[in-house]
Amino acid sequence: MRILVCNDDGITAPGLKALVEVAQEFGEVVVVAPDRPQSGMGHAISIGVPLRLYPSREFGSLPAWACSGTPADCVKLATGVLGEKPDLLLSGINHGANFSISVFYSGTLSAAIEGAFEGIPSIGFSLLDYSMEADFTAARALVREVLLLYLSHPFPPHVPLNVNIPNLPLSEIRGIRLTRQAKGRFVEQFEKRMDPYGQPYYWLVGRFESQDTEPDTDVWALEKGFVSVCPLLIDLTAYSYLQHWQPIPR
Ligand code: MN
């Protein structure tokens, strides 16, 4: 099996290393990752600027490239320039959570979703620890568990998975759950500071507020110590509203 590994925290992120280590147990790995942190880029792509791919020695003899673009660019370049036709695309392990509406902001998931656009079975992994010094010991074991499950019970390639892993020791993980996105929002707060020239600048310090207490959501599962596996749909159409203006009065 050929496995493309991407992320959004950049090619030097420890979470990427952890994912590559597990991926190597399952097949031939090729890494294409951003050359700098690209968290929160959502599904951005680079238009009108040159994109560069640099061979990287970050993973020893493993084929690896650092890309000057976004996570979605990485997947596009891997398939479109490097000619990769992976059987599986793994993104992450992200340093930080990607539950609920984070899917829209997440660079980690944009790589997985881009993979799904290309018909590649794709999974994004996130650990609930933003620190660059995060401990991926338990996460590695849980990624392995999810991959074994995925390979024996695959999802169709147009359904990428969003996997979130609680920041707990393995012995405290209660299991793996299929979940739906919790309803919620980020309560955005900006810290106002002053630059050395006396001009104000703003630093985003929002926090997530769940508006959903049902026991089938990603937020619920993570709070209870379960690994959350949320299957995603690319089609955002609100099908139940397609008759809303029928017949269209004019
Ligand atoms: Mn990230």
Side-chain angles (χ1 to χ4, degrees):
M1 186 164 60
R2 197 147 176 92
I3 305 173
L4 173 62
V5 181
C6 306
N7 81 341
D8 76 350
D9 295 320
I11 193 143
T12 59
L16 179 64
K17 263 198 184 72
L19 187 53
V20 165
E21 277 171 37
V22 181
Q24 282 183 285
E25 300 169 18
F26 289 84
E28 267 177 70
V29 173
V30 56
V31 181
V32 183
D35 62 2
R36 73 203 80 175
Q38 293 277 348
S39 292
M41 291 301 284
H43 213 102
I45 51 170
S46 302
I47 293 172
V49 292
L51 278 171
R52 308 225 180 237
L53 268 177
Y54 309 95
S56 163
R57 302 296 300 166
E58 198 67 38
F59 299 91
S61 58
L62 219 65
W65 280 266
C67 161
S68 63
T70 64
D73 288 329
C74 289
V75 177
K76 285 179 174 296
L77 286 167
T79 56
V81 173
L82 300 173
E84 288 296 330
K85 298 202 182 335
D87 305 293
L88 184 64
L89 185 156
L90 306 178
S91 181
I93 303 170
N94 189 55
H95 292 245
N98 273 315
F99 48 65
S100 183
I101 54 166
S102 305
V103 174
F104 285 94
Y105 303 109
S106 169
T108 304
L109 290 171
S110 75
I113 290 167
E114 187 66 33
F117 290 171
E118 301 269 343
I120 306 163
S122 298
I123 311 177
F125 292 96
S126 304
L127 175 67
L128 271 63
D129 186 345
Y130 286 93
S131 161
M132 272 301 131
E133 287 78 49
D135 182 358
F136 287 93
T137 313
R140 273 196 301 268
L142 294 163
V143 167
R144 187 179 297 120
E145 239 181 273
V146 170
L147 283 179
L148 287 168
L149 202 56
Y150 185 83
L151 294 173
S152 59
H153 300 83
F155 280 80
H158 64 276
V159 179
L161 297 188
N162 176 19
V163 178
N164 279 269
I165 301 170
N167 187 26
L168 294 171
L170 200 52
S171 59
E172 288 173 38
I173 297 286
R174 292 174 61 196
I176 298 171
R177 288 242 173 168
L178 283 177
T179 61
R180 63 173 178 87
Q181 282 175 234
K183 291 174 189 71
R185 65 188 193 113
F186 285 94
V187 185
E188 310 289 19
Q189 283 169 341
F190 289 92
E191 267 183 43
K192 183 182 179 183
R193 299 181 189 174
M194 287 297 183
D195 74 14
Y197 306 99
Q199 297 298 315
Y201 65 94
Y202 304 91
W203 203 274
L204 180 61
V205 288
R207 79 187 154 75
F208 181 76
E209 198 177 75
S210 180
Q211 295 155 338
D212 202 328
T213 52
E214 298 300 312
D216 57 350
T217 69
D218 47 9
V219 170
W220 183 92
L222 291 161
E223 275 172 3
K224 301 292 176 192
F226 291 96
V227 173
S228 162
V229 179
C230 180
L232 302 178
L233 275 182
I234 289 163
D235 186 348
L236 298 177
T237 310
Y239 285 97
S240 57
Y241 284 91
L242 284 182
Q243 301 304 314
H244 200 60
W245 282 356
Q246 292 298 343
I248 295 182
R250 57 176 303 214

